[in-house]
Amino acid sequence: MLLEVIALTPEDAAIAAAHGADRVEFVSAMEEGGLTPAAADVEQAAAEAGIPVHVMIRSHSRSFDYDEADMKRMMRDMRSLRLAGASAFVLGTLTPARTVDEEKLKRLLDAADGLPVTFHRAFDETRDLEEAYETLARYPLIRAVLTSGGMPSVLEAGREIARLVRLAGAAGPAVMAGSGLTPETAAGFARETGVRAVHFGSGVRRGGRQAEPLDPARL
């Protein structure tokens, strides 16, 4: 099972790597759902962690409906973060009607310039998860979809996650379960749903608090 861990600092990334994470999702402002981090931090993490560093591309936390200034900023960030050593990008775009904004998504995928992409939990705000997944599956650069099955905690969405795993089959973007998982619950949830990739956030931080460093004892 693939394990992705949120990192807020290069130190987080090093701890995650030393305790079995397969990769990190590098973000800032975790309390806002994750925003684009500083390129210098990504560069240090990529140089020192020894595992892939997937970088959040999100200019603000107000919504996933971005205006032209937001788009230009995110594409500019992607260029600099690619040079800093990003292994992949984590992003998502929605229309006001809560569907995947394919026009803006295509622009961001072009800016990724071949690096793989995870579509983040904007997915959980779409009007229909299966419709959104089928849309994303048309884009080969999208390798994973991070989701809590449309619920605050993925532990409340086992049936929906299992349905998405079946929809993905062997060829679609990997369904990565996140939000609410802990080391104690992940294995059982994976057996229940068939999911093969999990994402840890506050569940492996000191005291379960978003702003705290990773807790090695929880990994």
Side-chain angles (χ1 to χ4, degrees):
M1 184 165 59
L2 182 144
L3 171 60
E4 178 179 274
V5 175
I6 291 178
L8 297 173
T9 63
E11 293 75 17
D12 272 354
I15 291 170
H19 290 83
D22 296 295
R23 69 189 189 211
V24 295
E25 180 191 86
F26 205 99
V27 311
S28 65
M30 186 176 170
E31 68 279 5
E32 296 183 51
L35 300 178
T36 304
D41 288 339
V42 171
E43 184 173 18
Q44 184 179 348
E48 297 178 2
I51 59 176
V53 177
H54 292 208
V55 183
M56 175 67 77
I57 302 298
R58 189 178 178 213
S59 57
H60 60 73
S61 59
R62 295 187 297 277
S63 74
F64 299 110
D65 177 17
Y66 300 112
D67 63 21
E68 186 59 25
D70 296 327
M71 290 293 295
K72 288 180 177 178
R73 176 180 173 183
M74 290 191 292
M75 290 187 289
R76 185 170 61 248
D77 286 343
M78 291 170 77
R79 287 192 290 272
S80 63
L81 289 164
R82 181 186 178 87
L83 293 174
S87 304
F89 294 117
V90 182
L91 53 84
T93 58
L94 301 182
T95 69
R98 296 170 50 230
T99 61
V100 175
D101 190 325
E102 292 190 74
E103 185 273 327
K104 290 174 182 172
L105 177 62
K106 289 174 185 176
R107 292 174 66 189
L108 293 176
L109 293 178
D110 285 343
D113 196 23
L115 285 187
V117 167
T118 293
F119 197 93
H120 59 44
R121 288 188 61 217
F123 180 79
D124 291 316
E125 296 192 14
T126 59
R127 67 186 184 186
D128 184 301
L129 298 186
E130 292 190 17
E131 173 189 63
Y133 184 88
E134 289 172 348
T135 297
L136 297 174
R138 295 200 292 267
Y139 296 91
L141 208 59
I142 298 177
R143 306 292 172 77
V145 176
L146 175 61
T147 178
S148 63
M151 302 296 286
S153 170
V154 74
L155 296 174
E156 303 169 31
R159 185 173 299 176
E160 185 61 41
I161 295 296
R163 183 159 45 243
L164 289 170
V165 168
R166 290 194 296 272
L167 185 63
V175 175
M176 181 163 53
S179 185
L181 283 177
T182 66
E184 293 81 9
T185 59
F189 186 80
R191 286 193 299 271
E192 173 193 344
T193 61
V195 76
R196 292 194 235 175
V198 296
H199 171 94
F200 287 164
S202 58
V204 291
R205 310 194 84 80
R206 292 179 187 169
R209 293 185 293 271
Q210 291 179 334
E212 292 293 318
L214 286 176
D215 182 350
R218 298 288 299 144
L219 286 165

